Amino acid sequence: MQQLSKTLSSEHLIQGQWQDLFDRPQTFSDLTLIHQRKTGDLFSFVLSCVSNLKPNISPKMFYTMGQELGLAFQIQDDLYDKSGQFTTLGKLASSDDQSKGVLQFLSVSDAVEQISLLKQSISKTLSALDLSNSLLAKLIFGKILTK
């Protein structure tokens, strides 16, 4: 419960959401920080719950994987928002403010490359945790991060 409170605090998810709505990031690093506070912290919290099932493994690996997953998810969301269909997005295309998204800092091909690098890192972590063929891996690569 303490970890959930911390995740939702004004220093993490709430601040990230506020910044996403009201701030205009000036650099890709600024945008990354917003995504880490918003989506990365949320995924890190959920994965830290999974880490409780594997007590012999450092929760830091799950935390880092959650941060990478959150960033990859947000970049993917911006790409889908630019070109996606409602059935893929679950919302109308171009409904997000593109002047605040990843495509203001990266080209489409660079954004796709960034997702690829994050996916590789997540895969490597899952492998190190002996979770490559787990339900968690299927959820991450089959539902959260799609092609």
Side-chain angles (χ1 to χ4, degrees):
M1 195 54 108
Q2 187 177 19
Q3 186 61 34
L4 177 59
S5 294
K6 182 181 175 186
T7 299
L8 296 175
S9 75
S10 61
E11 295 175 11
H12 295 275
L13 194 138
I14 292 171
Q15 182 178 14
Q17 184 61 44
W18 188 89
Q19 288 176 309
D20 189 39
L21 291 172
F22 300 111
D23 284 356
R24 189 162 303 279
Q26 300 300 309
T27 65
F28 182 65
S29 293
D30 292 344
L31 183 64
T32 298
L33 183 59
I34 291 170
H35 291 332
Q36 285 174 332
R37 286 183 175 145
K38 184 178 139 183
T39 314
D41 283 349
L42 182 61
F43 281 123
S44 289
F45 168 73
V46 171
L47 290 174
S48 74
C49 292
V50 173
S51 77
N52 291 330
L53 301 173
K54 290 193 154 270
N56 58 329
I57 297 174
S58 166
K60 182 146 178 66
M61 292 178 79
F62 285 95
Y63 175 84
T64 301
M65 185 169 47
Q67 290 294 315
E68 293 170 339
L69 181 58
L71 181 56
F73 176 84
Q74 287 295 154
I75 294 171
Q76 175 181 269
D77 183 62
D78 285 352
L79 290 173
Y80 280 160
D81 195 57
K82 180 174 173 57
S83 62
Q85 298 175 353
F86 179 79
T87 54
T88 302
L89 288 168
K91 61 184 177 181
L92 297 174
S94 299
S95 62
D96 289 341
D97 184 353
Q98 288 296 313
S99 68
K100 292 180 169 182
V102 71
L103 296 177
Q104 71 174 318
F105 302 111
L106 301 177
S107 67
V108 170
S109 63
D110 287 343
V112 169
E113 176 65 20
Q114 185 72 33
I115 292 171
S116 178
L117 292 171
L118 290 162
K119 282 180 167 182
Q120 287 173 21
S121 181
I122 292 166
S123 269
K124 193 174 182 180
T125 302
L126 286 168
S127 181
L129 296 169
D130 198 26
L131 294 171
S132 294
N133 296 313
S134 67
L135 181 59
L136 177 61
K138 290 178 177 132
L139 177 65
I140 290 172
F141 294 114
K143 298 292 181 185
I144 299 171
L145 297 179
T146 58
K147 293 184 174 38

